[in-house]
Structure formats: C-alpha cells, structure tokens
Amino acid sequence: MKESLMDIICCPMDKHDLELEVDDRNDEEVLAGTLVCTECGERYPIEDGIPNLLPPDMRD
Amino acid sequence: MTERERRGEPASLAERRGLETRVYQPAEDSGLLAKAAVERVSGLVLEVGTGSGWVAETVARETGARVIASDVNPHACRQARARAEGADERGGSVEVVRADLLTPFRGGTFDAVLFNPPYLPTDPENEWDDWMEAALSGGETGRKLIEPFLDDVGRVLAPDGVVLLLVSSLSGFDEVVARAERRGFAAETVVEESYPFESLSVLLLRR
C-alpha cells in the first residue's frame, strides 16, 4: 500500500485514525507491516502490499 | 466428485456453473458498470467488491482516476493487485484494500463509489461455503449486501460525490431504489440492458 492511503482508511470498528508500523517497503509502497488503531488498539496486518482491514471476527 | 457431492449435498453455485471457483471474472454486469463509470467519474474513486479488479483497472486507465479497489476475498485482492500494474498509462492508479463493504473508509472521502454487488437470490439453506458463492449470492432477497451498502455509502462520499450501483431485476429494482431514496439519494438509471433471465441497470445516486 502507498503511504498516502493513510488519508483514506480508518479503523473499521470505531472509525478512528490508524498508525502505520512498517516492516518492509520499497520506493513506492509498504509491502509488510501493521496498521494500529489509535483508539481501540486493534492491529490490522499488511501482507504482500495489501492491508487487511477486515474486522477481527471476519479474518481468515 | 466434490466434497459436497460426496456428502450428498447439492453443488454450490460455482460448481454448477463450472467456473473458476475463487474470483468473480468480468461479465456483462461488469461491462455495464465500467461503461457507466468511465463516462462519469474522476478524482478519487472507490470500487467495492472489485473481484478480478477489471472494472477498477478499466476506470483508472480510461479516466486517469485514482481508484481504491476493495474486496472481502483475499484471492480477489491479489488478482486485483496484479492487474493494477497495467492501470497507470494515463496517470490513473489502482490500490487494493481487503475490506468488509465500506467499513474501513473515512467519512467524506470519495468523489465516486462503484459497486457491482452479489445479487442472486439464494436459498437460505444453501450456505456460503466458497468465495465464488460469496461473490454471487445476495441472500434470500438478493439484497443482503446492497442494503448495508446503501445504509453506509452516504458517509464516505465527498460533498458532491456520486454512487454508481449495478442493479439486477432479480434482486428487486424498485426495492433498491426505495432504499436509496430513504437514505436521501435521488436515483437515475444511466445504463439498462435486458438479458433472457434478468435486466441489468446502473443506477446513478446523488444527494
């Protein structure tokens, strides 16, 4: 995901801002990391460049 | 023989159709939605339920829009992301997010939201047991995903934002329009085609 996506996405549970933790990136985008809700603390993984913003009870 | 058939259960929709079992591929409905969108959208666009990513990529390539493509299905997300690499010829782009409908998107964000929903009315006992069925089935009424989408889409639209929603006669055209109007939208049919078992329309919703 591009970092500019942070202006578009929010926590699916409470709509608060997310904080980006980067584990791996290239020149264009974040390939692996975590999005953390600044309010409820829920953690959403970014894998292969795709953020998984499903609510926790809908994850695989 | 599939696992379900061994258990003596009816084949799933995908098995009956004998198609790819994980990701919905572009069909007539996708073509109608893309046609309606290419003529009308620009700026920041969300496509909900992108499937293969074909509509998102077409809109980005033809209009230069920045398209956010979302799907609940991880296989669809990966296909859409792979397809997105061809979208940047005219400055357009496609970015993929795995999401449940509109839930992880900020309020007041999008110039346009596109949705070709799962709309086939399905027997409640025919449970969703593969990703293709989830891509096709709209529950008993055909409106299981259309209704929560209409209830929340106003939240994510920018002030002059519009919605383009594909509607099949199978899921009740009048009921969909009534739901949209209750949510404060004016609905206009911008594309309409008849097929042997259904007619498909694209509704343009504005506030």
Side-chain angles (χ1 to χ4, degrees), chain B residues 119-122 139-143 146 167-173 175-176 196-200:
Chain B
Y119 62 69
L120 293 180
T122 307
E140 220 168 337
T141 61
R143 297 190 297 278
I146 297 170
V167 185
S168 164
S169 52
L170 296 174
S171 55
F173 181 84
E175 288 82 353
V176 172
F197 299 102
E198 62 184 328
S199 47
L200 299 176

Side-chain angles (χ1 to χ4, degrees), chain B residues 15-28:
Chain B
E15 287 159 354
R16 282 199 302 254
R17 287 165 59 117
L19 300 173
E20 131 106 61
T21 56
R22 296 200 301 188
V23 180
Y24 187 75
Q25 297 301 308
E28 290 85 353

Side-chain angles (χ1 to χ4, degrees), chain B:
Chain B
M1 183 181 269
T2 68
E3 179 56 33
R4 286 175 70 134
E5 286 165 341
R6 271 193 290 279
R7 297 199 305 262
E9 293 170 21
S12 70
L13 285 172
E15 287 159 354
R16 282 199 302 254
R17 287 165 59 117
L19 300 173
E20 131 106 61
T21 56
R22 296 200 301 188
V23 180
Y24 187 75
Q25 297 301 308
E28 290 85 353
D29 46 7
S30 321
L32 295 179
L33 182 60
K35 180 180 171 207
V38 161
E39 292 167 4
R40 289 175 181 82
V41 306
S42 60
L44 181 58
V45 178
L46 172 65
E47 189 197 5
V48 175
T50 195
S52 70
W54 181 80
V55 172
E57 191 252 342
T58 302
V59 170
R61 180 165 34 77
E62 298 288 327
T63 69
R66 179 182 182 190
V67 182
I68 310 301
S70 81
D71 207 291
V72 69
N73 173 350
H75 309 291
C77 289
R78 282 194 287 274
Q79 242 181 60
R81 183 173 150 90
R83 187 186 291 272
E85 289 166 12
D88 58 4
E89 282 172 33
R90 296 189 194 176
S93 64
V94 177
E95 295 158 66
V96 177
V97 177
R98 190 169 176 209
D100 174 31
L101 294 174
L102 301 150
T103 54
F105 300 106
R106 290 178 185 250
T109 301
F110 296 102
D111 300 306
V113 179
L114 319 178
F115 190 25
N116 176 12
Y119 62 69
L120 293 180
T122 307
D123 182 337
E125 287 169 24
N126 188 1
E127 64 185 52
W128 294 17
D129 65 349
D130 66 28
W131 286 114
M132 186 56 71
E133 200 160 326
L136 296 173
S137 168
E140 220 168 337
T141 61
R143 297 190 297 278
K144 184 175 177 172
L145 286 119
I146 297 170
E147 288 172 352
F149 170 83
L150 288 173
D151 292 349
D152 197 25
V153 69
R155 179 182 65 81
V156 303
L157 285 181
D160 292 320
V162 299
V163 178
L164 287 167
L165 174 66
L166 185 120
V167 185
S168 164
S169 52
L170 296 174
S171 55
F173 181 84
D174 293 343
E175 288 82 353
V176 172
V177 169
R179 184 78 167 215
E181 287 175 348
R182 278 205 300 281
R183 293 296 170 184
F185 290 101
E188 178 194 348
T189 302
V190 293
V191 177
E192 197 172 8
E193 289 284 341
S194 289
Y195 298 91
F197 299 102
E198 62 184 328
S199 47
L200 299 176
S201 310
V202 178
L203 279 184
L204 173 68
L205 307 179
R206 300 174 192 276
R207 284 178 298 192

Side-chain angles (χ1 to χ4, degrees), chain A residues 31-45:
Chain A
L31 298 172
T34 309
L35 295 158
V36 185
C37 179
T38 54
E39 177 71 14
C40 70
E42 189 58 51
R43 299 173 66 82
Y44 303 93

